[in-house]
Each structure stands twice: as structure tokens, then as C-alpha cells.
Amino acid sequence: MRKWVLSGILASEETYLSHLEALLLPMKPLKAAATTSQPVLTSQQIETIFFKVPELYEIHKEFYDGLFPRVQQWSHQQRVGDLFQKLASQLGVYRAFVDNYEVAMETAEKCCQANAQFAEISENLKARSTKESKDQTTKNSLETLLYKPVDRVTRSTLVLHDLLKHTPVSHPDHPLLQDALRISQNFLSSINEEITPRRQSMTVKKGEHRQLLKDSFMVELVEGARKLRHVFLFTDLFLCAKLKKQIGGKSQQYDCKWYIPLTDLSFQMVDESEAVPNIPLVPDEELDAMKIKISQIKNDIQREKRANKGSKVIERLKKKLSEQESLLLLMSPNMAFRVHNRNGKSYTFLISSDYERAEWRENIREQQKKCDFSLTSVELQMLTNSCVKLQTVHNIPLTINKEDDESPGLYGFLNVIVHSATGFKQSSNLYCTLEVDSFGYFVNKAKTRVYRDTTEPNWNEEFEIELEGSQTLRILCYEKCYNKTKLTKEDGESTDRIMGKGQIQLDPQALQDKDWQRTVISMNGVEVKLSVKFTSREFSLKRMPSRKQTGVFGVKIAVVTKRERSKVPYIVRQCVEEIERRGMEEVGIYRVSGVATDIQALKAAFDVNNKDVSVMMSEMDVNAIAGTLKLYFRELPEPLFTDELYPNFAEGIALSDPVAKESCMLNLLLSLPEPNLVTFLFLLDHLKRVAERESVNKMSLHNLATVFGPTLLRPSEKDSKIPANPTQPITMTDSWSLEVMSQVQVLLYFLQLETIPTPDSKRQSILFSTEV
């Protein structure tokens, strides 16, 4: 352990020496130029800016040259204490450097403003890279490098603590290291007495110290690329930082990318002509592929844990999981959150939740009412360094960062009834949206209709929301703006106004009893009444065996088509016809939940063969009709792709040879019973037509496959790979995810085929189905 600690110190010293060398490099030519008729800086300015840097370099070069051979020729008896004692005795040079530091920085700043050549030099100081690094040099600014000695001296005692911890009391080094630690601590306490008042001078108003109010990981859009950032909201400024890569067991460090004083921050475009950057969207297929990988790795981790394999294997898998989840988190968000500096630049973040975007805006606006601002470059560097200690969000919100005993969240279906809301001051057009967390970030899952000109909307709408490891339900209440001139132009786009927002934790214990639970969410004086009911995945996935011969829901498709003397069930034809008449341009058709009461009314009407069903449909929201069609396929006692053939479809889609895959998938499809095949091809044509309007309805072939895949393929319980009484809820969850992904892939495969060749025996039926 002593050798490892010392090896870490050597690596750190090597880097530090390269930084000091980078500072010394321009010193010689600058001094030479100072004696000419065209000096870049005066001799006095050079002396002030680079004060004591040569001396610090000599001290640390001597220390490094003494330590290196001793670590190379290591034995338990090896002594190094004398080197650390000597280094501690030379800390007086640091006292001089720290006392001059503020003046050095101010001088450097003034010289940069006055001389473009020096400004160019000070931004491009090249430090040679350490042996581990592949690059030859790294670029640093003068400001960054001049802070290195200040940072170094404040960390000096940490190194000695580590070394002492692993040095036996009986070792000759022990008293020497204790002495070095005592000198360092005394020196540091005297330095801190001087540095602390400076830190506290970073005040907001007189007597008020700068405080951290909120911090979070966010995705920043930088020249079209997505970058993971950690953002910090202080009482007087908004700071965007990047977490530096940790090398050789070093502690976490941040790099300040930019900051905006709150007095200069706005959410409006500074210049109306300023172009809104294009948000590079990641295809759903890629995001789903990441989710598949995440589920597979989680499965592997559980398997290794049960097999009690070595922790190295699990650690390796956890590392892979972390990489995949970080990638998903980076690629998923696509809602713009823009901040503008009144004195110049604009910055764009990508967020997945309108709730979070609103929360950031509220917090910033609230603080802008009461803040003042002043910040020197030294203070900025110190503030960035302090972020490591101040941060409240320590981990990227991934499942890998959850403790083993932490709730994995809920998997299944959450039924939510949004009843009504009270507390609005004036009549307006109001609607709500619901968000839940999934794979570590929040997504919008449902939206009520707009209740017009009221202070007390009564929506009474029920939604069924699929949960994937969810722990929180959020609700946002909006005022719909129909008058385009009144719209607030934030983020360069028209937005409806958020009137209130709130959230509830989804407690697995409280939701286990499967009954409706009423709750009231209070937000900004507004109260929204909700009811929630949870059905776990193992119950929600069951297809019930057919017990009735009348009606159409829950009855075998062959029985219904025979009774109706049709090739395609009447309910399928009617729903498709109505959606093609007026729902093809509905945003999120088939994805957005319809009102549950409307769906149940239509279900009942189709079951009793109500002659007025077409009139009912014409008066209903088109999402309810889409929901009825999905419910019909979901309640079939056997999936459209049949229990018998389901395993073959799952194996066929996994084939890697495209020719073999096509042959297998088409032969399987044509092996379906006639009513199943004809109904599927009829639906397939319809879904392709829906996807042709993707630019308007936002429903791609992949989106449609995601919605319909499990509905058409999910087998009856006896054929599912899901255990009936899972003892390992997380494993069940992830195997379920993999099964669902496979179902989506099967449907997507057929949607992407331009034509489906069929043998003559089937052709007549196919032709008939497309005519219908």
C-alpha cells in the first residue's frame, strides 16, 4: 500500500511539474522581448505574473528526482520520510506565491486586454502529457495553470495523511512523516485564514454568502453534439461544469465550462434573428437497442449474483451497464431549455421533462428578484473546485447507482383518473399532462382534453400508463393559448403556460392492494384531484382463456369471423375506417391514451352488437377509438400470432442472416390460421398508411411497432417466459423487457417489408382484406 500511495504521488508530481514547465516556457522569450523596442510585457509585469514559479519548479523537481529511484528500488524498509520533511520545510515559497496570487491574476487579466499577442499566448500554454496519455501536449490557459500551486498546497496534507495511514508506527519514516504533516497543517491553517475571507468575499449582498440552491446533471447541445454537464444554481449565478476524468485514483474535480450572472440571465432570445439550433434526434430504434442491452446486462448481473460468481465479473458487468445507461441518458432528452446571457452567448440544454424545465425557470426567476453580483477569476476557480463538496446530486440518475436494497421501482400498469381541479383565479382553457420516470429519466405519458373557459375543470378522464421501474408520478396543469399573439416566446417556440405542477411518490406498499386510491396534489394554490390504481406486470400480462361465445371481446377471432361471415372482424374494420377518416393526423395516434370510460362504452356497444355504434364513434375522441382497437387485440384469448407459432417468430427475428430471416419470417406468417393472417395484413396496411403521415402525427413505423408488438404477439401465460409467481422481481422485469423488445422487432420487421409475397392459396383472401 505504501508503494501504491507513493506511485500515485509520483504520477501527480509529474503532472504538476509539466504544468509548472508550461508556465515557465513563455517566460524566457517574454523576458528577452522585454529588453527590445517592442516588448510584449514589461520586466515588472513578467516578475509579478510568474512570481516564484521558477522556485516552485526547482523544489518539486528535486523532490521528484529524489523519490523516483527510491520507489523504483522498492522494499518494505525503503525510507522516504526525509524527502517529505524537506518539502514541508520549503512551504514558505508557497506563502509568497499565495500572497502575490491575486495581484498576479489581475495583472495577467489587464495585460491580456491590452495586448492581443499576450492574450493569444495565455490561452494556449502547452503542457507535456504524462506517460499514460497518448497525446503529446495538452492546451491550458494561464489562469488555469496559475491556480495549480494554490490547489496543490491546499491538498498537501491529504497526501501525507494517506501515506502515514499505511506506514507502521515502528517504521523509521513514521516520525519524519508526522513532522512533515504537522508543518503542513500549521502552514495550511495560516493560509486558510487568509483564503477563507477571500472566499467569503464572494457575497451576494452585504453579509450574505453565496449558497448552492440546486444542481443537476443535464445534457448540453454544443455545436450539434450532446455533452453531459453538471449544472449548479447559486444565489447569484448559474454555472455549467464538466466532470473531469478521474486518473489514478484522484478525487473528483470539475472544470467550469461557462457561467452567467443571474442579473444577466434571460430565457428570451437576445436577438430575434438568432437561429434556434437543430436538435439532433436519436432514432427510437437506437434508443430501444440501448434498452435491450441494459436489460440483458441486468439479467446477467442477477444471474451472476445467484451463482455467487466472483465480484470481478459483476464489477465488469456493472461498468458495462453504467456505460450503456449513461449513453441512454445522453441520447434520450429532446426538449430544449435555453438560457441566454444578455451580454452575449446563448446556451441550449436538452431535457426530457417539462416539469424539470419549469422548475429550473421558477428557481432562477425567484432568485433574480434578490441578487447582486461580483466574481473574480480566482473566486470562479475556487467556486468550481468547491462544487465537488457542495453538489447534492452525486450520481447520474442511473439504476446502476441504486443500492441493492433500494426500491427498483414499479413495473406494470398504473391507471390514473384525473378528476378535477380548483383554485384557478380566472377562467381559462385548461388541460393536464402526466409524466413518470423510466430508465432514469422522466417522460410524458398522457394528456387530458382541454376544458374550456372555466376556473373549475372537471376532466374525469382515465389513463392507463405503463411503468418501467417508475417511482414518481408528476402532473402538470397548463393554460392552452389559442391566441398566438399572447404566447410567451421562450426557447424560441410557442408554449402553453404552466399553471401549476406537483408530484406523488409511487409507494409499492401502498399500491399493492389493487384498489383505487384517491389523492389531492396541491400546486401553487391549485388543487388537482386524482385516483390511482396499480396492476403489477405479472397480473396485467395475463391473457384470459375464452369463456364466452357471445360478443367480440375475449372471444377467439375464428369464432367471431365465422359468426359474422367476414374475413376481418367488424370491430377492426369499423375502428380502422373511423381512424382513417379523421385520425391520421392526430399527434400520437395509438400512443396517446384514450379516455377509459369512452373505451369501455365502445367495448360494451360492440359486445352487444349495438346498431348505433358508428354514431357513437363519430362523436368520440379519436384516441378512444384507437384505444378500443388496441384493447380488442389485447383481450384476445390467444394472440393474433398464436401461442403455437410465437416461439418460432421470436427465434426467426433473432437470425443474423437476412436471407434466412426473410424466408423464415414469411413462411411463419403464412402458416397463421386464415382469419389471423387476413386480419393482420389488413391492420398492417393501415399502420403503414398511418406512418406515411409521420411528419404530422409523429408516429413512425417503430413507434407503431412499439405500441402494437406486445398487443399482437404477447403469448398466453402458459407460453410466456415470464414466471407466474416471480421470486426475483428484477429478473422478471428484465426478461420481460427482452421479450417485449423481441415482440416489437417482429412487428417492425413486417412493417418495413415493402411487399409480402403470398402463395396463390392465400392470395384471394389477401386481396379481399385490402379491399375491405
Side-chain angles (χ1 to χ4, degrees), residues 387-400:
C387 285
V388 173
K389 295 191 189 96
L390 294 171
Q391 63 185 6
T392 59
V393 181
H394 293 276
N395 287 320
I396 300 166
L398 311 173
T399 56
I400 190 69

Side-chain angles (χ1 to χ4, degrees), residues 411-542:
Y411 290 83
F413 291 89
L414 186 73
N415 286 69
V416 182
I417 302 175
V418 183
H419 294 292
S420 59
T422 53
F424 295 101
K425 300 284 187 288
Q426 58 190 57
S427 277
S428 42
N429 307 310
L430 302 162
Y431 69 93
C432 288
T433 63
L434 301 171
E435 292 181 354
V436 294
D437 52 319
S438 161
F439 282 90
Y441 57 93
F442 279 84
V443 281
N444 184 9
K445 286 283 191 176
K447 176 182 170 183
T448 68
R449 67 184 185 279
V450 178
Y451 214 99
R452 301 190 72 150
D453 300 322
T454 182
T455 55
E456 294 191 355
N458 278 299
W459 293 287
N460 287 318
E461 290 184 60
E462 185 185 336
F463 302 96
E464 185 178 74
I465 295 170
E466 190 175 349
L467 304 182
E468 293 177 291
S470 310
Q471 295 179 312
T472 309
L473 170 71
R474 288 174 169 175
I475 184 161
L476 295 100
C477 203
Y478 294 84
E479 178 189 3
K480 181 77 181 168
C481 291
Y482 291 106
N483 183 347
K484 298 281 184 227
T485 57
K486 284 186 184 174
L487 294 179
T488 51
K489 204 160 189 222
E490 286 180 350
D491 287 343
E493 61 196 33
S494 304
T495 56
D496 294 339
R497 190 155 68 98
I498 295 177
M499 305 296 285
K501 59 185 182 13
Q503 60 184 24
I504 53 168
Q505 294 307 308
L506 299 173
D507 178 10
Q509 289 343 99
L511 290 167
Q512 278 313 330
D513 58 10
K514 302 185 192 66
D515 287 333
W516 284 103
Q517 294 185 15
R518 287 182 79 95
T519 184
V520 176
I521 296 182
S522 298
M523 40 192 184
N524 308 355
V526 173
E527 288 193 341
V528 179
K529 291 183 178 141
L530 299 178
S531 291
V532 292
K533 180 175 76 169
F534 172 65
T535 312
S536 67
R537 191 161 268 168
E538 57 268 33
F539 289 106
S540 61
L541 291 180
K542 287 180 182 171

Side-chain angles (χ1 to χ4, degrees), residues 481-652:
C481 291
Y482 291 106
N483 183 347
K484 298 281 184 227
T485 57
K486 284 186 184 174
L487 294 179
T488 51
K489 204 160 189 222
E490 286 180 350
D491 287 343
E493 61 196 33
S494 304
T495 56
D496 294 339
R497 190 155 68 98
I498 295 177
M499 305 296 285
K501 59 185 182 13
Q503 60 184 24
I504 53 168
Q505 294 307 308
L506 299 173
D507 178 10
Q509 289 343 99
L511 290 167
Q512 278 313 330
D513 58 10
K514 302 185 192 66
D515 287 333
W516 284 103
Q517 294 185 15
R518 287 182 79 95
T519 184
V520 176
I521 296 182
S522 298
M523 40 192 184
N524 308 355
V526 173
E527 288 193 341
V528 179
K529 291 183 178 141
L530 299 178
S531 291
V532 292
K533 180 175 76 169
F534 172 65
T535 312
S536 67
R537 191 161 268 168
E538 57 268 33
F539 289 106
S540 61
L541 291 180
K542 287 180 182 171
R543 282 191 191 268
M544 302 311 291
S546 181
R547 290 202 178 87
K548 59 178 197 171
Q549 293 302 307
T550 58
V552 291
F553 281 82
V555 179
K556 286 180 180 175
I557 194 165
V559 172
V560 172
T561 51
K562 189 177 177 185
R563 186 202 310 140
E564 293 178 352
R565 296 181 185 163
S566 64
K567 300 285 184 186
V568 177
Y570 175 69
I571 180 172
V572 177
R573 301 199 307 267
Q574 282 292 97
C575 290
V576 165
E577 190 180 301
E578 191 63 29
I579 287 165
E580 296 212 349
R581 187 172 71 82
R582 62 189 176 93
M584 300 295 268
E585 297 192 349
E586 179 77 14
V587 175
I589 187 71
Y590 287 120
R591 183 178 53 77
V592 173
S593 303
V595 180
T597 44
D598 289 352
I599 293 170
Q600 290 306 317
L602 272 178
K603 177 184 173 180
F606 276 113
D607 262 344
V608 298
N609 198 17
N610 189 326
K611 297 289 180 278
D612 297 328
V613 73
S614 54
V615 178
M616 281 174 70
M617 288 170 80
S618 65
E619 293 169 355
M620 274 185 185
D621 175 52
V622 75
N623 289 311
I625 294 155
T628 306
L629 182 62
K630 286 189 295 180
L631 185 67
Y632 168 71
F633 286 116
R634 205 162 75 206
E635 290 197 357
L636 283 174
E638 185 183 45
L640 200 63
F641 278 55
T642 74
D643 288 329
E644 184 189 349
L645 293 177
Y646 172 69
N648 305 89
F649 278 110
E651 285 166 17

Side-chain angles (χ1 to χ4, degrees), residues 673-691:
E674 191 171 316
N676 300 53
L677 175 64
V678 177
T679 302
F680 173 65
L681 291 172
F682 176 67
L683 180 67
L684 195 69
D685 280 348
H686 164 65
L687 294 179
K688 286 181 178 181
R689 285 192 290 275
V690 171

Side-chain angles (χ1 to χ4, degrees), residues 140-168:
N140 294 275
S141 68
L142 178 69
E143 183 184 331
T144 305
L145 292 176
L146 280 176
Y147 187 73
K148 297 292 179 187
V150 179
D151 188 46
R152 188 85 185 166
V153 76
T154 53
R155 293 170 188 272
S156 59
T157 56
L158 300 174
V159 170
L160 285 163
H161 270 299
D162 284 345
L163 196 51
L164 256 175
K165 194 164 48 173
H166 298 291
T167 303

Side-chain angles (χ1 to χ4, degrees), residues 167-410:
T167 303
V169 180
S170 57
H171 196 285
D173 268 355
H174 200 272
L176 300 177
L177 292 171
Q178 274 192 317
D179 190 43
L181 180 62
R182 180 185 54 76
I183 297 168
S184 297
Q185 282 174 330
N186 289 341
F187 173 76
L188 254 188
S189 59
S190 68
I191 285 279
N192 280 337
E193 279 168 23
E194 293 164 27
I195 290 178
T196 306
R198 279 186 215 159
R199 278 187 182 145
Q200 290 179 343
S201 73
M202 298 187 261
T203 53
V204 183
K205 286 181 185 168
K206 232 176 183 173
E208 253 183 59
H209 300 323
R210 175 176 286 123
Q211 291 175 330
L212 178 66
L213 301 175
K214 180 180 172 72
D215 67 305
S216 165
F217 284 95
M218 256 192 230
V219 176
E220 188 186 5
L221 197 57
V222 184
E223 295 174 357
R226 293 165 178 258
K227 304 281 184 184
L228 193 62
R229 303 289 192 231
H230 200 152
V231 291
F232 296 84
L233 173 63
F234 289 94
T235 33
D236 64 335
L237 74 123
F238 183 77
L239 184 142
C240 174
K242 171 193 172 186
L243 199 56
K244 287 185 187 176
K245 280 185 178 161
Q246 285 174 269
I247 304 166
K250 279 188 188 173
S251 57
Q252 220 180 31
Q253 277 185 304
Y254 280 104
D255 226 353
C256 172
K257 299 307 288 182
W258 51 265
Y259 71 91
I260 307 177
L262 294 191
T263 48
D264 295 332
L265 190 150
S266 118
F267 298 113
Q268 312 295 326
M269 282 291 185
V270 181
D271 173 6
E272 283 300 324
S273 65
E274 193 178 332
V276 175
N278 279 331
I279 296 170
L281 296 180
V282 179
D284 292 329
E285 293 90 318
E286 282 183 35
L287 295 178
D288 267 7
M290 288 177 211
K291 289 179 184 178
I292 289 174
K293 275 189 189 164
I294 287 167
S295 297
Q296 283 170 334
I297 298 166
K298 284 185 188 172
N299 251 355
D300 293 343
I301 290 171
Q302 289 301 322
R303 193 175 58 245
E304 296 297 332
K305 279 184 179 173
R306 285 199 302 278
N308 284 324
K309 291 276 176 73
S311 59
K312 275 188 182 174
V313 181
I314 292 174
E315 283 312 308
R316 201 163 56 244
L317 285 168
K318 282 188 172 180
K319 191 182 174 199
K320 272 172 73 179
L321 179 59
S322 178
E323 286 165 5
Q324 279 302 318
E325 291 196 312
S326 298
L327 191 61
L328 181 64
L329 202 71
L330 191 66
M331 297 305 179
S332 300
N334 53 28
M335 188 183 289
F337 169 50
R338 296 190 178 92
V339 288
H340 311 284
N341 188 333
R342 287 197 180 96
N343 301 325
K345 224 175 156 199
S346 299
Y347 304 92
T348 302
F349 290 104
L350 299 178
I351 285 185
S352 61
S353 158
D354 206 7
Y355 189 101
E356 278 158 40
R357 182 165 68 172
E359 212 164 52
W360 276 99
R361 282 186 185 144
E362 280 168 23
N363 291 341
I364 288 169
R365 283 187 179 128
E366 188 57 38
Q367 200 52 35
Q368 281 178 324
K369 295 173 190 169
K370 48 187 178 191
C371 78
D372 219 343
F373 181 78
S374 79
L375 185 73
T376 67
S377 53
V378 186
E379 290 166 350
L380 175 63
Q381 191 68 52
M382 286 177 166
L383 186 64
T384 307
N385 285 354
S386 70
C387 285
V388 173
K389 295 191 189 96
L390 294 171
Q391 63 185 6
T392 59
V393 181
H394 293 276
N395 287 320
I396 300 166
L398 311 173
T399 56
I400 190 69
N401 289 321
K402 289 182 182 175
E403 298 299 326
D404 283 346
D405 56 355
E406 203 176 323
S407 166
L410 293 169

